[in-house]
Amino acid sequence: MKKEFAMRALAAFSRFVGNTFAFWVLLAALLAFFAPTVFKPLSVAIVPLLGVIMFGMGLTLKVEDFAAVGRHPWRVLLGVVAHFVIMPGVAWALCQLFHLPPEIAVGVILVGCCPSGTASNVMTWLAKGDLALSVAIAAVTTLLAPLLTPALIWLLASTWLPISFGGLFWSILQVVLLPIALGLVAQRLLGQRVGALVEVLPLASVVSIVVIVAAVVAASQARIAESGLLIMAVVILHNGFGFLLGYLTGKFCKLPVAQRKSLALEVGMQNSGLGAALATAHFSPLAAVPSALFSVWHNISGALLATLFRRFKDDDARP
């Protein structure tokens, strides 16, 4: 009985932390900025923690999550193409417009080339969007990431810094596909016994992202103080254009309002934890800053947009 009560309490606490995710990420970023020496040692945990997040995603993915691909393949394909065209394209355009320094430019393009973020599914649910479509797009973009992410980074960022396609490909295999595959296998073998673990996944994911953001901010505190406002402006524009162009893509293709919401959130929200891990491993702590700031901002903006989207009715957004 005590064990059962403890698990219920832990699950409730996990849901609370998940619902207040943006606050904890922002708090971690501020603490790391003002006390960088405390958080710098956490940088060694970035890659393993991203693996924990991806393992959790594998535990929660089900065959039914991909049913939307079979029912409406063109809608899923539209979301995947929009995601991998709009966000990298907007990132490249912003780097050109603001004449960003090489390391920052590569960091902006890197986060733009990442797959959809897992928080987008939560925001879609809050926005009363098409959750099945959202999950399918997030899953497909993640599975395609080992090929598309390094290819797009090489294509768009090579003019700023040398890019190793092979190194990026291998890193994404290790920190994305392998943990997801292990999570799927664990779910298949253990069945309902993973239920309790799934209940506390929001807590594990939030803690992991918070540590990643704190480590990145601490490692680049001096450079953030120097150019943080510029990077933040670029991040806000990048995210905002992703939401806007994602929604307009759905409207142009005459999708129902619920699916336009899903497209907007799936395009505009990135797996910024992956961006931070790749930047830290292959470039520099400064290149990871756009991903860290994106992680803070897109959870705030995503929650605000979801609140706005909840008020949408069919007549409000009909082509």
Side-chain angles (χ1 to χ4, degrees), residues 189-281:
L189 293 177
L190 299 176
Q192 293 183 345
R193 282 175 287 181
V194 301
L197 188 57
V198 169
E199 286 290 321
V200 298
L201 279 178
L203 178 61
S205 296
V206 170
V207 170
S208 298
I209 290 291
V210 163
V211 172
I212 289 171
V213 169
V216 169
V217 171
S220 299
Q221 189 267 355
R223 298 297 294 273
I224 294 174
E226 180 184 323
S227 53
L229 288 178
L230 172 63
I231 302 174
M232 195 68 215
V234 170
V235 163
I236 291 172
L237 287 171
H238 191 190
N239 175 237
F241 275 116
F243 286 148
L244 176 63
L245 295 176
Y247 188 88
L248 291 178
T249 298
K251 185 172 183 178
F252 177 78
C253 294
K254 296 181 169 37
L255 294 184
V257 174
Q259 294 177 0
R260 293 181 212 167
K261 296 176 185 179
S262 301
L263 219 61
L265 290 161
E266 286 303 321
V267 170
M269 300 187 74
Q270 301 293 87
N271 187 337
S272 46
L274 175 62
L278 292 176
T280 303

Side-chain angles (χ1 to χ4, degrees), residues 172-183:
I172 298 174
L173 276 182
Q174 287 179 301
V175 301
V176 176
L177 280 197
L178 181 59
I180 286 177
L182 291 173

Side-chain angles (χ1 to χ4, degrees), residues 29-284:
L30 290 172
L31 289 174
F33 182 81
F34 289 107
T37 53
V38 176
F39 296 92
K40 274 183 182 178
L42 296 175
S43 59
V44 296
I46 290 176
V47 173
L49 287 175
L50 184 63
V52 169
I53 296 169
M54 293 298 104
F55 177 76
M57 183 177 178
L59 281 179
T60 57
L61 280 176
K62 299 178 179 66
V63 175
E64 302 84 60
D65 294 334
F66 295 92
V69 180
R71 287 196 302 270
H72 304 291
W74 78 270
R75 292 175 181 173
V76 178
L77 178 63
L78 176 65
V80 172
V81 171
H83 183 89
F84 280 122
V85 169
I86 290 172
M87 292 306 278
V90 170
W92 182 86
L94 289 171
C95 291
Q96 297 289 344
L97 179 65
F98 287 93
H99 304 290
L100 297 179
E103 288 176 302
I104 297 175
V106 168
V108 171
I109 289 174
L110 198 158
V111 73
C113 296
C114 284
S116 180
T118 52
S120 59
N121 301 152
V122 178
M123 300 306 174
T124 298
W125 177 73
L126 292 173
K128 296 184 177 178
D130 187 329
L131 186 57
L133 178 62
S134 174
V135 170
I137 293 172
V140 173
T141 58
T142 300
L143 294 177
L144 291 176
L147 283 175
L148 291 184
T149 295
L152 288 167
I153 294 169
W154 178 83
L155 180 67
L156 298 174
S158 294
T159 54
W160 282 280
L161 289 175
I163 307 296
S164 168
F165 174 89
L168 288 167
F169 173 78
W170 180 239
S171 289
I172 298 174
L173 276 182
Q174 287 179 301
V175 301
V176 176
L177 280 197
L178 181 59
I180 286 177
L182 291 173
L184 285 167
V185 170
Q187 180 198 130
R188 194 76 175 172
L189 293 177
L190 299 176
Q192 293 183 345
R193 282 175 287 181
V194 301
L197 188 57
V198 169
E199 286 290 321
V200 298
L201 279 178
L203 178 61
S205 296
V206 170
V207 170
S208 298
I209 290 291
V210 163
V211 172
I212 289 171
V213 169
V216 169
V217 171
S220 299
Q221 189 267 355
R223 298 297 294 273
I224 294 174
E226 180 184 323
S227 53
L229 288 178
L230 172 63
I231 302 174
M232 195 68 215
V234 170
V235 163
I236 291 172
L237 287 171
H238 191 190
N239 175 237
F241 275 116
F243 286 148
L244 176 63
L245 295 176
Y247 188 88
L248 291 178
T249 298
K251 185 172 183 178
F252 177 78
C253 294
K254 296 181 169 37
L255 294 184
V257 174
Q259 294 177 0
R260 293 181 212 167
K261 296 176 185 179
S262 301
L263 219 61
L265 290 161
E266 286 303 321
V267 170
M269 300 187 74
Q270 301 293 87
N271 187 337
S272 46
L274 175 62
L278 292 176
T280 303
H282 294 277
F283 302 107
S284 69

